[in-house]
Amino acid sequence: RPTMPKSSGKKLQQDDVQKLVMLLKAGKHKEVEAKSRKLIRKFSDAPVLYDLLSNAQLARSDFKGAAKTLETLLKMQPSYVDGEYNLGMAYMNLRQTEDAIAHFRNVAESKPDNPDVFNNLGAALFEMEQFEEAITAYEKALEIKPDFVPALRNLGAALRDMRRYEESEKYLSKIPFLMPRYAPGHLSLGITYKNLGKDEKALKCFETALKLDPNNREAHYELGNIRAQENRYIEAMASYAKVDTAEARVKVFEMMHQAGKNQEELISGLAKLNQREPGNLRAAAFSAFVSQQYDATETHPFAPDPLDFVYENNIADHLEQEPEYLSTLMKEAERVTAVWENRTTRKGFQTHGNLFEQGEIFAGLEKLIRSKLEEYRKMFADREANIIKAFPREYDLNGWHVKLMQSGYQKPHIHTRGWVSGVLYLKIPKEIRENEGSIAFSLHGYDYRKEKAEIPVKEHLPKEGELVMFPSSLFHHTIPFEADEDRQCIAFDVLPA
């Protein structure tokens, strides 16, 4: 435990302090909190009591209380480094990430040889989408202590999120040797192996993680994904059943469909899930597909007949006032950190983080899109669907820039965290043929097995300045194009607050 600042309370007995320290070490945090508060009423100028109180509050995950206590402590002892570090941790847990970063930076200056400080600074920076700075902080932690597992795991995960899979493997592969019985280490390495296409190695990692931690939900989920890829649908269904998340609960029914069994159980079970989880958008997507394939009644209330909710608009009025608006957006978007994608997006770049937080021009674009969303709501105001009836009163917009190169496209996908999704088209290749570069909407995705070959599809060949909005639960993809030009757009999601 770090050395505590000395008390300035003349009458505070050292014996009282030692008793609190022993109680803290024994894990009796409520008792420490109660006794510390009682002593503070008598000795309000004793920093040691605030230190002990804050440690007890942090141990009980009372981060709001701990932050308040630590703020008082640091007014009394501004140079108390351990108190500042703990305040940074409290702020991190309160999602006051900018404040946490400021305190971690101060502590890093005072303790430049502490790997923990740089590891937590990296985590805070990554949460604020300052990706390169976060990676530098993690690297600094490992420079101080090369075998520091928390930093190895965080750096490996950060690099994986940046699609730098080979570098991710370099760091994560060290963890099983350093901590062979650390289940999260095997799990994290397995996810990287999976992204590298090393499925056999990934499978071994997930199985090892489950031997070490049989209740690890993420390991069960990843094992289910591998079993599904291998067409071992019944085994995959058993894995997903152990996860119990919104997505996994739908995947149980998806596997039932893929296996071609229990049609009545599938339809009735899915209907019950839809009733319990009207906000589960993966269930909405699968339910729309099932109702079309089995001629069953649609039971999910989010967006029945989702193809009817595709809305094509434009920002022509804005472009009349600012003719160079699209080119300015492209120029500014290309300043934002982007990665070469190879999952949903193929042969293209996509930015990380929320584009609407990257400067004034994007803040202005957010206002414009919000006004267009009001038009969207009015357009479908008479529809009996939750997408309109239960449209969130408060929401955030999350946006990203997509730049597809020659032969680039996006695979069918949905946005399960969204409500309404949309795309503003900035640049369309001039030399395109037929439907190349179009956005296509369908009830089919994720390689669902088809009972009926014919599935409704709606295609739209966009023009520059067009804005297309649609339910986030609706599968959409793009048609590859062969023109030797790029295709650029800004995509976004409405995220209920």
Side-chain angles (χ1 to χ4, degrees):
R1 189 177 175 280
T3 303
M4 295 179 294
K6 294 180 180 180
S7 170
S8 62
K10 294 180 180 180
K11 296 182 181 180
L12 178 63
Q13 298 298 309
Q14 188 64 24
D15 184 52
D16 289 331
V17 175
Q18 289 303 319
K19 286 179 181 178
L20 289 173
V21 172
M22 296 302 293
L23 288 169
L24 191 64
K25 288 181 178 179
K28 297 182 179 180
H29 305 122
K30 285 187 177 181
E31 197 171 341
V32 172
E33 187 171 347
K35 291 181 180 294
S36 296
R37 290 186 186 282
K38 187 175 180 180
L39 285 168
I40 285 171
R41 285 195 287 272
K42 294 181 181 179
F43 310 107
S44 61
D45 61 343
V48 65
L49 297 177
Y50 294 92
D51 184 55
L52 289 162
L53 173 58
S54 67
N55 274 275
Q57 290 169 316
L58 286 170
R60 295 182 60 233
S61 299
D62 177 12
F63 302 113
K64 188 174 181 180
K68 185 177 179 180
T69 302
L70 287 162
E71 286 163 359
T72 302
L73 172 60
L74 288 170
K75 286 178 182 177
M76 302 167 72
Q77 296 264 323
S79 60
Y80 182 35
V81 178
D82 293 313
E84 185 156 23
Y85 176 79
N86 285 345
L87 182 55
M89 294 300 293
Y91 282 147
M92 270 289 283
N93 283 282
L94 291 169
R95 306 304 288 260
Q96 295 175 226
T97 315
E98 289 187 23
D99 293 326
I101 290 171
H103 287 288
F104 288 145
R105 287 195 194 280
N106 290 340
V107 176
E109 289 182 11
S110 301
K111 291 191 170 185
D113 296 325
N114 188 323
D116 241 327
V117 175
F118 287 97
N119 182 49
N120 284 306
L121 174 60
L125 288 165
F126 200 84
E127 187 169 315
M128 289 300 293
E129 301 173 358
Q130 299 176 35
F131 305 115
E132 296 301 331
E133 285 189 71
I135 288 171
T136 299
Y138 291 139
E139 290 173 338
K140 177 64 177 176
L142 292 171
E143 182 184 315
I144 297 166
K145 188 177 180 182
D147 61 351
F148 189 46
V149 169
L152 285 168
R153 187 177 178 219
N154 281 345
L155 178 54
L159 290 166
R160 184 176 64 230
D161 284 351
M162 299 292 287
R163 312 295 189 259
R164 293 158 62 177
Y165 300 122
E166 289 80 6
E167 294 173 78
S168 173
E169 180 187 3
K170 170 186 169 184
Y171 292 101
L172 293 176
S173 61
K174 296 178 182 180
I175 298 177
F177 294 98
L178 294 168
M179 294 181 66
R181 300 194 61 77
Y182 181 52
H186 293 279
L187 172 62
S188 199
L189 177 58
I191 296 171
T192 289
Y193 279 146
K194 185 182 171 188
N195 281 288
L196 285 167
K198 300 179 180 181
D199 285 353
E200 288 187 17
K201 287 187 174 183
L203 181 60
K204 288 180 181 178
C205 286
F206 299 143
E207 289 175 339
T208 301
L210 286 171
K211 285 178 184 177
L212 296 169
D213 180 7
N215 297 319
N216 191 303
R217 297 198 307 176
E218 193 172 359
H220 280 297
Y221 180 82
E222 295 295 345
L223 185 60
N225 287 341
I226 287 182
R227 296 305 188 208
Q229 288 176 359
E230 297 172 339
N231 300 331
R232 296 162 67 174
Y233 301 123
I234 302 302
E235 292 173 68
M237 187 164 63
S239 292
Y240 291 137
K242 295 175 182 177
V243 179
D244 196 28
T245 62
E247 184 173 335
R249 287 191 289 273
V250 183
K251 283 196 168 190
V252 169
F253 292 107
E254 291 175 355
M255 294 303 100
M256 192 181 296
H257 167 75
Q258 295 296 81
K261 296 182 178 180
N262 304 319
Q263 178 179 329
E264 290 185 7
E265 184 181 345
L266 164 64
I267 294 172
S268 63
L270 187 59
K272 291 176 183 176
L273 178 68
N274 292 341
Q275 186 176 16
R276 291 195 306 270
E277 302 183 23
N280 187 331
L281 295 203
R282 185 158 186 141
F286 185 56
S287 184
F289 171 76
V290 166
S291 65
Q292 188 269 336
Q293 290 283 289
Y294 292 106
D295 294 318
T297 301
E298 170 63 281
T299 56
H300 200 287
F302 181 68
D305 302 315
L307 289 167
D308 293 346
F309 289 89
V310 176
Y311 180 53
E312 298 149 13
N313 204 312
N314 60 65
I315 59 167
D317 292 345
H318 195 86
L319 293 177
E320 284 183 12
Q321 299 172 24
E322 294 186 53
E324 301 300 316
Y325 187 60
L326 298 181
S327 59
T328 303
L329 283 172
M330 282 190 286
K331 181 180 178 181
E332 292 301 314
E334 292 195 345
R335 297 179 190 269
V336 180
T337 301
V339 295
W340 180 258
E341 283 280 348
N342 196 32
R343 293 197 296 183
T344 300
T345 300
R346 298 297 178 94
K347 296 188 178 181
F349 294 90
Q350 184 169 313
T351 57
H352 261 233
N354 188 356
L355 197 66
F356 296 123
E357 297 176 354
Q358 299 295 327
E360 289 185 13
I361 189 168
F362 297 114
L365 176 60
E366 178 177 355
K367 291 181 181 179
L368 177 59
I369 289 174
R370 284 178 179 269
S371 69
K372 294 295 181 180
L373 283 164
E374 287 304 308
E375 293 181 22
Y376 183 85
R377 293 174 64 180
K378 291 176 182 177
M379 180 72 183
F380 301 105
D382 61 340
R383 297 296 297 267
E384 288 295 317
N386 280 6
I387 186 174
I388 303 300
K389 290 172 58 181
F391 198 96
R393 291 182 180 180
E394 295 185 17
Y395 62 85
D396 297 317
L397 278 182
N398 183 60
W400 59 98
H401 176 236
V402 179
K403 182 178 181 179
L404 296 178
M405 313 307 287
Q406 185 179 29
S407 301
Y409 65 97
Q410 289 188 312
K411 296 169 63 178
H413 63 286
I414 60 174
H415 300 186
T416 55
R417 292 178 59 239
W419 193 272
V420 171
S421 297
V423 189
L424 172 64
Y425 293 93
L426 307 179
K427 182 182 177 184
I428 302 296
K430 294 179 176 60
E431 301 297 326
I432 55 174
R433 297 170 294 183
E434 298 180 354
N435 66 342
E436 288 185 344
S438 294
I439 184 169
F441 303 95
S442 171
L443 304 182
H444 183 260
Y446 298 152
D447 295 321
Y448 292 153
R449 182 180 60 81
K450 295 180 181 179
E451 289 277 340
K452 293 180 180 179
E454 295 297 321
I455 298 176
V457 176
K458 177 181 284 189
E459 288 185 4
H460 176 68
L461 182 60
K463 298 176 183 177
E464 294 174 0
E466 278 195 324
L467 179 63
V468 179
M469 291 179 281
F470 49 92
S472 297
S473 62
L474 181 59
F475 283 107
H476 53 285
H477 66 279
T478 61
I479 311 297
F481 60 93
E482 294 307 316
D484 189 14
E485 297 180 72
D486 57 60
R487 173 187 184 275
Q488 297 192 41
C489 65
I490 291 174
F492 62 88
D493 285 333
V494 170
L495 303 180

